[in-house]
Amino acid sequence: MAAVMPTSSVSRRHLQGCTEVKSYSKHWLCLFPQHGPGRKHKRRIALEPWQREIFKKHPGLFVRGLMHSDGYRGMNRIRRHSNGSDRCYEYPRYLFTNESKDILELCGEALTMLGVDWRYSRYNTISVARREAVERLDEFVGPKY
């Protein structure tokens, strides 16, 4: 943050499981034009041309950021009853949940660029559950601290 905005002071605070980083400047809006008043899912979120260039070059980093902020990687456990017996199995999957349709579309676009098979499991949730897709996404996301 200090390298991008050298005239703005940057502070850090270590919390349990994360580090909070803050910097105050009126000029952050120039770098993040999507920011504005109101809820993000009720306003248009579109990448500026210069942001789209970065997005195309680094879709893995984009998805990593989304998954670390609003995503989940865990085990999906299934229990099936058939013919009087229970059959249980589990598999890893990613879920990304967001109320912004635009952000969900950007996530899906980035996943497609990475060759990751995905689908909507709910209107506001993207699911990555196929073994090959989870393994591919693991290459980019890494552990969430």
Side-chain angles (χ1 to χ4, degrees):
M1 291 175 98
V4 174
M5 198 74 66
T7 60
S8 177
S9 65
V10 177
S11 66
R12 288 184 208 116
R13 185 170 71 155
H14 297 285
L15 303 169
Q16 185 177 356
C18 70
T19 300
E20 179 182 81
V21 181
K22 290 183 184 179
S23 176
Y24 295 97
S25 173
K26 293 178 182 179
H27 299 291
W28 282 117
L29 291 175
C30 300
L31 294 174
F32 300 102
Q34 297 80 8
H35 181 72
R39 297 175 179 257
K40 71 178 183 255
H41 68 277
K42 293 197 175 191
R43 64 177 186 267
R44 179 84 175 124
I45 303 292
L47 298 179
E48 296 292 328
W50 65 270
Q51 291 173 315
R52 183 148 291 275
E53 283 182 41
I54 296 169
F55 172 79
K56 285 183 188 176
K57 287 181 185 173
H58 305 286
L61 290 174
F62 183 81
V63 170
R64 183 177 193 269
L66 292 177
M67 289 297 175
H68 281 229
S69 66
D70 294 321
Y72 161 82
R73 186 195 190 279
M75 297 301 287
N76 192 30
R77 291 178 175 83
I78 306 295
R79 184 177 181 182
R80 297 276 163 104
H81 303 282
S82 67
N83 299 332
S85 66
D86 286 343
R87 181 176 165 238
C88 299
Y89 63 96
E90 61 183 28
Y91 59 91
R93 72 173 173 181
Y94 282 92
L95 296 174
F96 174 72
T97 303
N98 201 290
E99 295 301 318
S100 169
K101 182 179 171 241
D102 296 332
I103 293 173
L104 288 165
E105 287 175 3
L106 287 168
C107 181
E109 184 180 347
L111 290 169
T112 299
M113 290 167 66
L114 295 171
V116 173
D117 197 20
W118 64 276
R119 68 178 186 87
Y120 284 100
S121 58
R122 295 185 57 209
Y123 75 95
N124 66 344
T125 305
I126 286 178
S127 171
V128 175
R130 293 183 181 228
R131 179 180 294 128
E132 302 82 20
V134 170
E135 289 172 359
R136 175 77 172 140
L137 195 50
D138 282 343
E139 295 173 27
F140 299 98
V141 175
K144 184 176 176 178
Y145 298 106

